[in-house]
Every structure is written in C-alpha cells, then in structure tokens.
Amino acid sequence: MFRLQGSKTLAVDLTGDAVKAKNGSMVAYDGQMTFKKMSGGGEGIRGMVTRRLTGEQMTMMEVKGQGTCYFADRASEINLVSLHGDKLYVEASNLLATDAGLRTGTTFTGLRGGTSGNGLFTTTVEGTGQAAIMSDGSAVVLRVTRQYPLVVDPGAYIAHQGSLQQHFQSGVNFRTLMGEGSGESFQVRFEGDGLVYVQPSERNTVGGDV
C-alpha cells in the first residue's frame, strides 16, 4: 500500500510482498527488509540492453519484507498514480516507485523527447497497481478531453496516462519574436482522453527561448 507522509516522502506498507523503487531512494524502514538492485530498470538483461541503446537510463531496486519502508529523492514532491490495466508514460528521472507487479518498459517519444532534452525514448509503467512519480514543486494534473485538447511546454512535462495522442508544434509567432509572447519555441499538443502531469519548474529544452 502506497501512502504519503507529507508531500515529499512515500511510505510503502509491505506484508511479505515487494516494491520497486529508484535505487538509493530509501530513507528509513521499520520491520524486516531486504534490498536487491535490479538490472535494466527491473526488466532484466533485455531491459538493460534496451535502455542502453535508447539512452533512457533507470536504476531500480527491489525492496521486500514485512514492515514499512520510506522513500524520498532530493526533497521532490511526490504524486501517487493508480493504474487499472492502463499505461503510464513518465520520464525515468521522475519515477520514484511502483508496485512490484507493474511492468516497466521504454517507448519512442519522437520530437517531444528531443525538444524536452530527455532523449527520444521515455519509460512506461503498465498494469494494475500504484506508482509514485516526482516533480520539482507541486505537480498539476490536467484533464484532456476530445473537446478540450491541451498544449504543454515540454520542459514542464512529467507524465501522462490515458488514450492520448501527442503532436509537436512550433510556438514561435509574431508576439514571441517581439518579446511579448511566452518565449517558448516548441510545444506539445495532447488530444484525446486522459491526464497530463505538469510541474511548475521547467527543465532546459532544446527549443529554448527565442
């Protein structure tokens, strides 16, 4: 069971089962726990090779036992995501922990990954269970519907889930060039039905300001 202790610490109650978490993110535990480093983000040798080829690096550990284990990373804000047979797309650097039964993998992001500075691939989490993702500041969860698409700065993007399509678009216009616009050269448009997680702090992007 995942629960938050404040907004920056994840508590996971274990009763003989296991959780996968970012390597080195354990800050405390009570009870009896064992820790095992996992290859390829928990996907074995094949996952390790895939991640090296794609550049989507993620080092995970398996924590198993009886008691409560606490996780945190650089005082980042933590958000809990429930999956019900669907798939979560999340930057590897923003993934803190998942239920052991959830499957992780990599997928091609196309131009969004290139402009965000995170590479052309991103991590996927799939199945039924809970995941914990991190953000620099309190994340905003934005709903996308077929009537109301969403445009996101790739530097603020964290994750998304649901039946969403991504379209890369240029944000450069006359107002931007005159210094009166947002200054964002590239944007990502999400269409369909789902949720997009955005942080209030931008990573450096390839597009940058004009």
Side-chain angles (χ1 to χ4, degrees):
M1 176 183 177
F2 286 21
R3 54 189 173 86
L4 294 180
Q5 295 283 102
S7 62
K8 299 179 180 180
T9 304
L10 171 69
V12 181
D13 299 316
L14 298 174
T15 56
D17 47 347
V19 61
K20 294 187 291 187
K22 185 175 183 180
N23 199 39
S25 62
M26 188 278 294
V27 294
Y29 71 88
D30 59 50
Q32 299 293 323
M33 300 287 171
T34 60
F35 301 86
K36 178 183 177 182
K37 185 176 180 179
M38 306 179 75
S39 301
E43 301 149 40
I45 299 300
R46 182 177 180 181
M48 182 171 61
V49 173
T50 300
R51 289 185 177 277
R52 284 187 177 178
L53 290 174
T54 60
E56 179 70 358
Q57 299 297 323
M58 181 175 67
T59 306
M60 303 290 285
M61 62 181 178
E62 180 186 65
V63 182
K64 188 175 183 179
Q66 298 270 356
T68 302
C69 199
Y70 301 88
F71 303 94
D73 186 49
R74 296 170 297 175
S76 298
E77 299 283 338
I78 301 172
N79 307 271
L80 299 183
V81 179
S82 295
L83 296 175
H84 304 280
D86 51 332
K87 185 181 293 187
L88 174 72
Y89 299 82
V90 57
E91 302 295 345
S93 60
N94 293 103
L95 181 61
L96 177 63
T98 73
D99 280 334
L102 291 176
R103 302 180 300 278
T104 56
T106 57
T107 190
F108 180 66
T109 62
L111 290 172
R112 180 187 64 73
T115 57
S116 68
N118 286 315
L120 297 177
F121 293 83
T122 195
T123 292
T124 59
V125 181
E126 186 175 8
T128 298
Q130 287 182 295
I133 60 177
M134 300 178 292
S135 59
D136 185 3
S138 299
V140 179
V141 185
L142 301 173
R143 182 79 192 182
V144 181
T145 66
R146 301 191 184 281
Q147 293 79 18
Y148 296 98
L150 178 71
V151 177
V152 174
D153 168 20
Y157 167 87
I158 302 171
H160 74 271
Q161 65 184 124
S163 300
L164 294 175
Q165 298 81 46
Q166 303 174 62
H167 304 283
F168 173 80
Q169 67 181 38
S170 172
V172 178
N173 54 34
F174 180 76
R175 289 176 58 84
T176 303
L177 292 173
M178 294 299 293
E180 298 176 359
S182 66
E184 301 302 335
S185 302
F186 303 102
Q187 301 165 344
V188 183
R189 181 183 177 92
F190 288 91
E191 297 178 349
D193 187 11
L195 301 174
V196 178
Y197 298 80
V198 179
Q199 65 183 6
S201 176
E202 299 179 37
R203 293 177 291 266
N204 291 329
T205 63
V206 175
D209 291 346
V210 175

